[in-house]
Amino acid sequence: MSDSLFDKLGGEAAVDAAVDIFYRKVLTDSTINRFFDGVDMEKQAAKQKNFLTMAFGGPNNYTGEDMRKGHAHLVKQGLSDSHFDAVAGHLKSTLEELNVADNLINEVLAIAESTREDVLGR
Amino acid sequence: MSTITFKTHQLTCHPDETLLDAMLRKNIDVPYNCKSGSCHTCLMRSSDQTPPVKAQEGLKPTQKQQNYFLACLCKPDQDMTITLPDAADKFITYGKVISKHPLSKDIIELKLECNNPLSFKAGQFVNLMKPDGVYRSYSIANTPNKNNIIEFHIRILPGGQFSEWIYNDLAIGDQIPITDAKGNCFYIPERQEQGLLLIGTGSGLAPLAGILMDALEQKHTGPIHLLHGSKNKEGLYRFNEMKSLAEQQQNFHYTACISGDTTPETYTRGRANEVALKKITDLKGWRVYLCGHPDMVEQTKKQAFLQGAAMQDIYADAFFLTPRS
Ligand SMILES: Cc1cc2nc3c(=O)[nH]c(=O)nc-3n(C[C@H](O)[C@H](O)[C@H](O)COP(=O)(O)OP(=O)(O)OC[C@H]3O[C@@H](n4cnc5c(N)ncnc54)[C@H](O)[C@@H]3O)c2cc1C
Ligand code: HEM
């Protein structure tokens, strides 16, 4: 039986390990952190966990439509390809820091990439 | 197969089914979202059993200890009685006022003797209720003791319904209803070599003083830094006590911070949170406790995280005011 991408990455525990690193990168990146100025940081962090679970190919119930709706208010604030690239970049460097194998990183990035048109509302 | 009791419902959870799915199957209306353990929307609490380990993945250690769990990850291995996390406030005991005295110009120390033992950890909070039914949250400033006495530090706000009532009307010997203790901001004796950073403003010292005593009583070995902030010297109550404690306890360090214009000797100038984060710039591996003004708490949470503290290691109690209806 072949493991899913999520299992290969280490499942839930991998998401837990990645979420702090990833979220710290996002919050310190001045080109995108204004989008994350939520009132409650822990709720935001939980959403980052949902994001990572999805990008890691883990169990989630999100549809393209959800991604569209979930980011629509950000698109209104000017969310564009450059912001998307920045987030994808942080995802990549987070996984590199965790010494994830290149082929798995590429799979994760491909999942993220597949959501681009929905996230950007096009 | 296990039987789950929730409010007035009794339901059966099949071996391969999560508790959340069992509840949804029975059309029980409970909050949930991701169904994968990420969003924590379906947080629940067991009132009798220790939940399965898997169902507590990703929760804070202090939540685990209180038998919180995620319904979407929970495959019960035994019968359980469960509640929602903030199930309606239950006033479970009365506290008799045994002392009430000023700590500073606008903060008073209130000691209540509970007529039923209250199970709590220093730093958690309870709701107190006055005779007209208005209630407010206050943090417990001492550790559990055999006399069932709990201590509060209450800031008197001008025009504040509850705090002014305590100040003006509450008398020694009066009885006040008390809820069970809530909140995740308390000490647990794990990773005792960890540094503890305690930052509080105003009466935010209350839970921190309790947490500090608890950590010292449980022989925490790592460094413990307490930074207490106020506009002026008068607001830094318990200064002498903390200062001499810091002289006796080798791993305890106390900094009294004044954000106003005059800074007498032995006090530090600046806001407590800013002084703290300049003092300890690398918070990797630290456990951080933040109590008091909601803006300070929110801002410092973020900054402490950016300076390396893990989200799991940041405990906060923001003293939110109740919006006027
Ligand atoms: C988890 C938690 C723990 C807490 N722990 C402590 C503690 O240990 N010690 C402590 O001192 N406090 C603590 N608090 C705060 C406490 O619960 C009360 O909110 C606080 O004492 C004020 O209550 P009050 O009834 O006196 O004031 P309220 O009557 O609620 O009014 C609050 C203040 O706001 C002003 N105000 C409110 N609404 C309006 C309006 N519409 N227009 C003008 N003015 C307004 C009032 O004049 C007053 O100054 C805690 C809060 C929380 C959530
Ligand atoms: C790489 C592709 C992306 C994916 C797969 C993705 C996925 C998600 C998911 C699953 C959530 C959680 C929704 C919820 O649980 O409520 C979310 C929320 C969010 N995302 Fe994205 N996202 C992506 C790109 C971005 C980008 C580029 C930005 C901005 C720079 C962004 C900003 C946000 C914000 C601010 C939230 C929280 C919104 C809120 O507060 O409701 N996302 N995203």
Side-chain angles (χ1 to χ4, degrees):
Chain A
M1 208 181 81
S2 73
D3 279 347
S4 70
L5 172 63
F6 188 62
D7 292 330
K8 282 188 208 147
L9 286 164
E12 213 23 66
V15 174
D16 281 334
V19 70
D20 274 14
I21 302 175
F22 173 73
Y23 193 32
R24 215 172 265 132
K25 285 181 195 291
V26 165
L27 286 181
T28 40
D29 180 344
S30 61
T31 66
I32 53 170
N33 57 11
R34 66 186 167 98
F35 294 111
F36 295 84
D37 267 346
V39 222
D40 187 306
M41 196 174 133
E42 259 157 292
K43 288 215 184 88
Q44 273 291 352
K47 289 186 179 168
Q48 301 314 306
K49 249 184 112 166
N50 293 351
F51 161 79
L52 291 171
T53 305
M54 184 178 177
F56 288 10
N60 72 82
N61 300 311
Y62 292 114
T63 61
E65 198 48 40
D66 292 336
M67 285 297 99
R68 227 162 245 281
K69 285 206 194 102
H71 296 88
H73 62 295
L74 306 173
V75 172
K76 278 204 199 108
Q77 295 168 38
L79 189 71
S80 69
D81 280 305
S82 67
H83 303 121
F84 189 96
D85 294 340
V87 166
H90 294 311
L91 186 57
K92 179 162 187 272
S93 60
T94 300
L95 295 169
E96 283 167 353
E97 258 176 59
L98 292 168
N99 296 317
V100 173
D102 284 350
N103 62 325
L104 297 182
I105 295 183
N106 289 335
E107 281 189 59
V108 171
L109 291 176
I111 294 179
E113 191 55 47
S114 74
T115 67
R116 184 185 290 260
E117 300 304 306
D118 285 323
V119 167
L120 297 178
R122 295 189 294 224
Chain B
M1 211 149 68
S2 38
T3 304
I4 306 299
T5 310
F6 173 68
K7 295 184 186 165
T8 53
H9 305 276
Q10 289 256 351
L11 59 142
T12 309
C13 193
H14 300 298
D16 249 343
E17 186 180 43
T18 67
L19 181 49
L20 178 62
D21 285 333
M23 295 179 91
L24 296 177
R25 178 167 53 77
K26 285 283 179 194
N27 293 318
I28 299 175
D29 191 19
V30 286
Y32 71 97
N33 187 8
C34 76
K35 282 188 150 189
S36 57
S38 299
C39 73
H40 295 192
T41 307
C42 65
L43 186 71
M44 294 191 184
R45 188 175 184 183
S46 161
S47 36
D48 50 4
Q49 307 292 349
T50 307
V53 176
K54 171 86 182 115
Q56 294 190 308
E57 252 171 36
L59 297 184
K60 275 193 161 38
T62 50
Q63 287 178 308
K64 290 184 187 170
Q65 204 188 51
Q66 297 178 80
N67 290 341
Y68 283 101
F69 66 93
L70 298 173
C72 71
L73 297 182
C74 182
K75 293 188 178 160
D77 41 19
Q78 54 189 338
D79 295 351
M80 276 209 296
T81 304
I82 60 170
T83 61
L84 289 176
D86 32 62
D89 286 318
K90 258 205 302 197
F91 288 88
I92 55 166
T93 180
Y94 279 91
K96 187 170 82 178
V97 180
I98 54 167
S99 82
K100 182 180 136 178
H101 78 86
L103 291 167
S104 74
K105 214 166 62 208
D106 60 354
I107 297 176
I108 58 171
E109 180 199 85
L110 178 69
K111 283 189 178 169
L112 303 178
E113 184 184 62
C114 303
N115 59 4
N116 285 319
L118 181 74
S119 148
F120 72 93
K121 304 266 189 259
Q124 284 192 299
F125 62 92
V126 292
N127 288 340
L128 304 179
M129 187 164 72
K130 68 191 182 86
D132 64 2
V134 169
Y135 61 87
R136 295 284 184 266
S137 305
Y138 294 100
S139 309
I140 305 177
N142 61 340
T143 52
N145 54 79
K146 61 178 186 319
N147 303 324
N148 293 324
I149 290 172
I150 48 176
E151 175 191 315
F152 304 95
H153 304 166
I154 297 174
R155 169 121 184 252
I156 313 303
L157 288 173
Q161 286 185 66
F162 203 94
S163 57
E164 285 215 325
W165 169 76
I166 290 184
Y167 185 70
N168 294 322
D169 303 314
L170 188 67
I172 305 291
D174 285 356
Q175 305 257 4
I176 331 185
I178 305 176
T179 59
D180 52 352
K182 308 157 200 284
N184 304 315
C185 190
F186 59 84
Y187 179 76
I188 40 165
E190 272 175 18
R191 294 151 74 201
Q192 291 201 291
E193 70 298 337
Q194 238 183 337
L196 303 186
L197 177 59
L198 280 48
I199 307 174
T201 48
S203 53
L205 180 63
L208 297 181
I211 290 165
L212 168 67
M213 292 310 155
D214 204 7
L216 292 175
E217 279 169 22
Q218 304 213 47
K219 309 246 180 304
H220 189 81
T221 54
I224 308 175
H225 288 261
L226 168 67
L227 293 97
H228 186 203
S230 179
K231 277 199 194 67
N232 50 42
K233 178 169 167 275
E234 288 67 45
L236 294 169
Y237 62 96
R238 300 242 161 126
F239 175 81
N240 290 327
E241 193 180 323
M242 288 300 161
K243 208 161 144 278
S244 63
L245 190 63
E247 280 155 18
Q248 291 156 29
Q249 294 278 345
Q250 204 216 24
N251 61 339
F252 173 54
H253 311 274
Y254 169 62
T255 312
C257 305
I258 294 180
S259 58
D261 289 333
T262 39
T263 318
E265 236 179 288
T266 69
Y267 291 83
T268 302
R269 178 158 192 169
R271 293 178 186 280
N273 53 329
E274 290 167 7
V275 173
L277 295 170
K278 265 194 217 121
K279 191 176 171 132
I280 305 166
T281 49
D282 183 2
L283 285 169
K284 193 162 195 265
W286 283 70
R287 209 190 299 178
V288 182
Y289 293 90
L290 307 168
C291 301
H293 199 290
D295 294 342
M296 182 287 283
V297 167
E298 207 44 54
Q299 194 193 331
T300 312
K301 225 192 230 179
K302 187 159 165 178
Q303 198 54 40
F305 173 70
L306 292 178
Q307 288 183 210
M311 191 81 69
Q312 288 269 332
D313 282 331
I314 303 178
Y315 295 95
D317 252 341
F319 287 2
F320 288 108
L321 297 177
T322 311
R324 281 258 150 115
S325 47

